[in-house]
Amino acid sequence: MTQRPIDAIAIVGPTASGKTAAALALADSLQGQGGAEIISVDSALVYRGMDIGTAKPSRQELDAVPHHLIDTLEPLHSYSAADFAREATPLIADIRARGKTPLLVGGTMLYLKALLEGLNDIPSANPEVRAAIAQRAEQLGWPALHAELAQVDPATAARLAPADSQRIGRALEVWTSTGRSLSSFHQSAKPDAPNWHIPVISLEPTDRAWLHARIALRFDHMMEAGFLDEVKGLRARGDLHPDLPSMRCVGYRQAWQGLDEGWPEAKIREHGIIATRQLAKRQITWLRSMPERVVVDARAGDAVHQVKQMAMQALTA
């Protein structure tokens, strides 16, 4: 039986695993088959003015292949998994209607999960509950609230850093408001679950030290490219603050804190690299919960070739 045509191909993996290079190479290979367009699956790339610290694709890369959901929002605003699923769905249809292959590329796994599995009935924000949690965090500290979260929602706590105030607060807010864990909402069946056919190709290194070295090298390149000046420029705007989702992105949060407290650049670098490693660990945890993915060892010399080969096989199946 002929398999139904694919809707898109997802190329995912932890930060610094080579997703962008693989996606651009695949898009180039697809030129003879109508071409491809990239839909960013990244919670930081949506923000304008945040280029260096997000490792945003270069102008040359953006010009080589059409990209979507990059530079669409001011950092003053928030962007959610629901926003992503709502915007990515018609983009996939539009790209396919023009005879091209949509490539979903990034590492914000909650966004991909929302797209692939549909949206659940997680309650909207409750300002009163949120304010009460924030007040408790001021008294006890976020690590203490992370420990509380681990008691009521260990699955969510396991993928969050103890200082991830935004996500810890949201998970506790859901628990307080509903008596249900956030992870139970994520796992529950969704009546509007879409019938997607989207193969997931995941670049995952078999050696954590290899990934750590890549993360450190990339952070050094960002520092050399003027990352701290970028953060200083964002601070100088006057309308941003460190509790915004955009400014809590990995790297930006540590740089903002370091500039506030007068850290030397070496300390900002150290904290930024540690936070990025923690992000990568959480991303890998997410990926391992997706048994349908096909894994490519990111360390392999022919990793890009493997990604292209798997994608081509999916497209011609």
Side-chain angles (χ1 to χ4, degrees):
M1 181 181 295
T2 303
Q3 195 174 33
R4 57 169 284 198
I6 69 166
D7 295 298
I9 293 174
I11 300 175
V12 299
T15 185
S17 60
K19 299 181 295 293
T20 298
L24 291 172
L26 175 57
D28 185 62
S29 296
L30 289 171
Q31 289 304 314
Q33 300 184 32
E37 297 188 14
I38 292 174
I39 299 173
S40 170
V41 188
D42 191 297
S43 60
L45 294 187
V46 295
Y47 293 115
R48 291 189 284 268
M50 295 172 59
D51 303 328
I52 299 172
T54 60
K56 194 168 289 179
S58 67
R59 176 48 53 192
Q60 182 180 8
E61 291 169 333
L62 292 171
D63 289 343
V65 181
H67 284 65
H68 303 274
L69 302 187
I70 292 179
D71 287 340
T72 61
L73 205 63
E74 282 296 313
L76 185 61
H77 305 294
S78 62
Y79 192 77
S80 68
D83 293 328
F84 171 81
R86 184 174 57 250
E87 294 186 0
T89 297
L91 278 172
I92 291 171
D94 177 63
I95 293 168
R96 291 190 67 220
R98 289 186 278 107
K100 296 186 175 184
T101 301
L103 304 179
L104 296 158
V105 183
T108 303
M109 304 315 302
L110 182 59
Y111 284 14
L112 184 63
K113 185 179 179 71
L115 177 70
L116 295 180
E117 301 180 9
L119 300 172
N120 42 39
D121 297 323
I122 299 176
S124 57
N126 184 320
E128 292 183 3
V129 173
R130 181 168 294 186
I133 291 170
Q135 185 174 24
R136 291 186 62 238
E138 287 185 9
Q139 298 170 346
L140 303 175
W142 284 108
L145 267 64
H146 180 266
E148 291 183 12
L149 179 63
Q151 296 298 313
V152 298
D153 188 356
T156 298
R159 63 179 178 81
L160 300 181
D164 191 344
S165 60
Q166 178 191 348
R167 293 177 177 83
I168 294 169
R170 175 58 176 155
L172 286 173
E173 178 189 341
V174 170
W175 168 260
T176 304
S177 300
T178 68
R180 286 181 57 188
S181 66
L182 182 61
S183 58
S184 74
F185 281 100
H186 288 159
Q187 295 163 2
S188 61
K190 306 166 187 69
D192 60 342
N195 184 28
W196 291 116
H197 181 199
I198 300 178
V200 178
I201 304 172
S202 181
L203 283 159
E204 300 174 32
T206 54
D207 182 359
R208 194 69 60 87
W210 177 89
L211 185 61
H212 287 178
R214 297 254 302 185
I215 287 170
L217 181 62
R218 188 166 76 169
F219 203 90
D220 286 340
H221 287 164
M222 291 192 304
M223 294 288 279
E224 292 167 4
F227 173 50
L228 290 184
D229 288 334
E230 180 175 80
V231 177
K232 289 174 183 177
L234 292 166
R235 286 161 57 90
R237 285 176 41 149
D239 61 343
L240 304 179
H241 57 81
D243 291 327
L244 286 169
S246 60
M247 294 299 102
R248 298 197 68 78
C249 289
V250 165
Y252 289 88
R253 178 185 175 191
Q254 291 72 35
W256 191 297
Q257 181 182 1
L259 292 170
D260 267 351
E261 299 181 14
W263 293 355
E265 286 192 17
K267 186 174 180 179
I268 293 175
R269 173 189 180 275
E270 177 188 2
H271 282 249
I273 290 172
I274 290 171
T276 309
R277 287 180 179 180
Q278 293 169 340
L279 169 63
K281 183 178 180 180
R282 296 194 298 273
Q283 290 171 317
I284 291 171
T285 299
W286 265 106
L287 289 164
R288 288 176 177 167
S289 72
M290 302 175 66
E292 72 278 11
R293 79 196 192 285
V294 179
V295 178
V296 173
D297 184 357
R299 298 189 313 152
D302 65 342
V304 170
H305 173 73
Q306 289 187 52
V307 170
K308 290 194 295 183
Q309 188 175 44
M310 291 175 180
M312 292 300 188
Q313 288 173 351
L315 286 166
T316 57

